[in-house]
Amino acid sequence: MPSAPLILASASPRRRELLERVGLALEVRPADVDETPLPGEAPRAYVARVARAKAQAIARPGAWVLAADTTVTIDGAILGKAADGPEAAAMLRRLSGRVHEVITGFTLLGDAARDEVVASEVELVALDEPTIAAYVASGEWRGKAGAYAIQGIAAAFVRSVRGSVTNVIGLPLVEVLDALRAVGTPGARLAHGIAS
């Protein structure tokens, strides 16, 4: 098994926590890449492209890099991270009482490369204006695709999830662990024992 470290190319504390909870030792090196969607870019293609760009930005010989990008999509539109409170409120109004998709692309890059895209369907309850205003005032939406965090206060807005819950948090853990085991990255056997 390779002795190279596993580098997480992400500043997301949620991704780091998910991986550390299953026993993976990480070196965290956030990647600084442009996350602007290209004109007409489909949501799945978008997250796959950005995840690969993040991994390539951090790649170095003898190391494995894991990078990911998550977005929310509804009506074919990509809802990334809201720039401000009014934009966050507009996103929440759009998602209110409806089903949307949370899509994460991840890349594992080292001696080989693996790219995967995982989607989950999320249904939110109908949100009234006072609820939206209170949530925006909480600030929890900052830095979150679709302007909500399922692992926080917004858990109360989620009627159902079809698919990976950890994907909605920001990293589809089962699929990532499968990819890590497939390439024999450090700690994969430990994570396998915990996840099995």
Side-chain angles (χ1 to χ4, degrees), residues 21-118:
R21 278 186 181 178
V22 295
L24 288 169
L26 305 169
E27 177 185 336
V28 177
R29 295 183 62 206
D32 183 18
V33 302
D34 183 359
E35 297 184 23
T36 306
L38 300 175
E41 190 170 30
R44 289 172 188 255
Y46 163 69
V47 295
R49 176 181 60 80
V50 173
R52 176 55 82 103
K54 289 178 179 179
Q56 289 172 332
I58 299 300
R60 67 179 194 222
W64 284 96
V65 176
L66 174 64
D69 190 67
T70 301
T71 198
V72 167
T73 181
I74 190 166
D75 302 326
I78 293 171
L79 304 186
K81 299 168 185 173
D84 53 28
E87 187 178 11
M91 287 185 184
L92 292 168
R93 287 186 198 102
R94 190 166 187 177
L95 300 174
S96 174
R98 300 184 61 198
V99 174
H100 63 274
E101 269 194 323
V102 178
I103 303 173
T104 300
F106 71 87
T107 294
L108 183 60
L109 189 60
D111 295 336
R114 288 178 67 103
D115 300 282
E116 292 189 40
V117 175
V118 177

Side-chain angles (χ1 to χ4, degrees), residues 153-164:
I153 300 165
F157 305 160
V158 178
R159 183 177 301 282
S160 66
V161 175
R162 183 176 180 182
S164 169

Side-chain angles (χ1 to χ4, degrees), residues 137-155:
S138 78
E140 183 180 81
W141 54 271
R142 288 188 176 89
K144 312 294 192 304
Y148 75 92
I150 193 173
Q151 71 277 17
I153 300 165

